[in-house]
Amino acid sequence: MELKVLVERYQTAINQVYRRINIILKEQIHADITTDQFSTLHYIFKNNTCTSTDIAGEFGVGKSAVTAQINRLYEKELIERNRDDTDRRVVYLSVTPKGTEFIVQTEKALFEVIGKYLQNFNEDEIYTFIHSLEKLAKVMNED
Amino acid sequence: MELKVLVERYQTAINQVYRRINIILKEQIHADITTDQFSTLHYIFKNNTCTSTDIAGEFGVGKSAVTAQINRLYEKELIERNRDDTDRRVVYLSVTPKGTEFIVQTEKALFEVIGKYLQNFNEDEIYTFIHSLEKLAKVMNED
DNA sequence: AATGAATAGTTCACCTATTGAACTATATTA
DNA sequence: TAATATAGTTCAATAGGTGAACTATTCATT
């Protein structure tokens, strides 16, 4: 098969999966959060006391986009900001207890839904898929 | 490995790939179009004389979002609208000659870049990956 | 044939997400 | 100390999305 066709099929499928996860979060889990916001929240959870600059690097967006995203999470009281005592330019981000509880509950619901879909795959298939996806992400970021 | 970890790894990788394709289109190909716009344009190209409703169904978005997207492509003179003669409610969409030329050129450049990345994979790996991705998209849309 | 329901598409107000340039405040370095 | 670099914010602009209200048209049913 041609590369052209493969890339087209990839784009279509990836778009469908991406949009579907958004819809699941909203309609099935009824979590008052977007996929992007949840990804950011989750990153802060996993990388406690990270900074805006860290997040900008991780997600490949500008710092002003991070400021806006952080503000939305802050207004929902899911995260808090703490300025560094020695370097007053730096603001450390961390997840509040409310935020932690939210992550636990939302992940639980999300995994139930996703797990249901993954019943259509055997273990080998899943591992191979994740491995290829991560490899693709890795080579695309090696520039 | 736990499902939880798999889903997390999936989300991280898929985000990175998604954002990377946006950056390639903009910075490497210098095409004055976004990934979303290109997907819509490509769908109209492949499904000549489709309608807004078709697109809304294909991409899983509301009709008002499609109207806005169509307007952006129309302003760039990449597509045209033709009202149905027998059912005057319906507007058929098709790609202009300028739009066709644009698709050909942009795809050519895009495939060169993506093809470079795919050199890190053998054929089997690519086919298995695409197959799993399409299967995932399919089961997620079967509700 | 008339009317009520359905369908196709647009418009509007509002929200999320992003960019890039200009800005503030605080280190660092030459 | 003066110039430069870094961390983060603000602002105006753009893309993309929702949902409700709307126009215009067609279909269906009595």
Side-chain angles (χ1 to χ4, degrees):
Chain A
M1 195 185 301
E2 255 190 296
L3 170 63
K4 191 173 175 320
V5 177
L6 281 176
V7 175
E8 279 167 17
R9 284 171 57 190
Y10 168 80
Q11 279 197 316
T12 305
I14 210 102
N15 267 345
Q16 285 175 351
V17 173
Y18 190 87
R19 287 166 201 278
R20 196 69 206 166
I21 292 176
N22 264 309
I23 294 170
I24 289 166
L25 257 183
K26 186 178 170 190
E27 292 182 6
Q28 292 185 246
I29 297 177
H30 305 292
D32 176 27
I33 199 161
T34 65
T35 324
D36 281 338
Q37 282 172 27
F38 194 71
S39 294
T40 306
L41 180 62
H42 196 268
Y43 179 83
I44 298 169
F45 183 65
K46 286 284 170 188
N47 302 274
N48 198 36
T49 67
C50 64
T51 66
S52 286
T53 305
D54 294 338
I55 294 174
E58 171 72 14
F59 293 100
V61 297
K63 288 192 295 178
S64 57
V66 177
T67 297
Q69 189 68 289
I70 291 304
N71 282 339
R72 285 185 283 267
L73 293 172
Y74 186 77
E75 272 153 32
K76 289 176 179 169
E77 298 174 354
L78 299 174
I79 60 166
E80 54 188 25
R81 297 182 222 235
N82 288 103
R83 202 165 276 276
D84 186 313
D85 282 332
T86 56
D87 187 341
R88 306 291 295 157
R89 291 171 305 182
V90 178
V91 176
Y92 295 122
L93 302 167
S94 53
V95 178
T96 61
K98 181 179 170 184
T100 304
E101 177 63 15
F102 179 82
I103 289 174
V104 171
Q105 294 303 322
T106 304
E107 277 202 324
K108 190 170 171 287
L110 191 60
F111 295 151
E112 266 171 36
V113 178
I114 308 247
K116 200 184 70 197
Y117 294 125
L118 291 187
Q119 283 171 5
N120 296 277
F121 296 79
N122 64 50
E123 277 205 20
D124 262 10
E125 220 172 343
I126 299 175
Y127 292 140
T128 306
F129 174 66
I130 298 278
H131 176 259
S132 296
L133 184 57
E134 286 184 326
K135 186 172 160 185
L136 182 62
K138 187 168 169 287
V139 300
M140 288 181 87
N141 280 305
E142 264 172 3
D143 276 350
Chain B
M1 195 185 299
E2 256 191 296
L3 169 64
K4 191 174 177 319
V5 178
L6 282 175
V7 175
E8 279 166 18
R9 283 172 55 189
Y10 168 79
Q11 279 197 316
T12 304
I14 210 100
N15 266 344
Q16 285 175 350
V17 174
Y18 190 87
R19 285 167 202 281
R20 198 67 204 168
I21 292 175
N22 264 307
I23 294 170
I24 289 167
L25 258 183
K26 188 178 168 190
E27 293 182 5
Q28 292 185 247
I29 298 179
H30 305 291
D32 176 27
I33 198 162
T34 65
T35 324
D36 281 337
Q37 283 171 26
F38 193 72
S39 294
T40 305
L41 180 62
H42 196 268
Y43 179 83
I44 297 169
F45 182 67
K46 285 284 169 184
N47 302 273
N48 198 36
T49 67
C50 64
T51 65
S52 287
T53 305
D54 294 337
I55 294 173
E58 171 71 13
F59 293 101
V61 298
K63 287 191 296 178
S64 57
V66 177
T67 297
Q69 189 67 287
I70 292 304
N71 282 339
R72 286 185 283 268
L73 293 172
Y74 187 77
E75 272 153 32
K76 288 176 179 166
E77 299 174 354
L78 299 173
I79 60 165
E80 55 187 24
R81 297 182 223 235
N82 288 102
R83 201 166 277 276
D84 186 311
D85 281 332
T86 57
D87 187 341
R88 305 292 295 158
R89 294 170 303 180
V90 179
V91 176
Y92 295 122
L93 302 167
S94 52
V95 177
T96 61
K98 181 179 170 183
T100 304
E101 176 63 15
F102 179 82
I103 290 175
V104 171
Q105 294 304 322
T106 304
E107 277 201 323
K108 188 169 172 291
L110 192 59
F111 295 150
E112 264 170 36
V113 178
I114 308 250
K116 199 185 70 194
Y117 294 127
L118 291 187
Q119 283 170 5
N120 296 276
F121 296 80
N122 63 50
E123 278 206 19
D124 262 11
E125 220 173 341
I126 299 175
Y127 292 140
T128 306
F129 174 67
I130 299 277
H131 177 257
S132 295
L133 184 58
E134 286 185 323
K135 186 172 161 186
L136 183 62
K138 186 167 172 287
V139 300
M140 288 182 85
N141 280 306
E142 265 173 1
D143 275 352

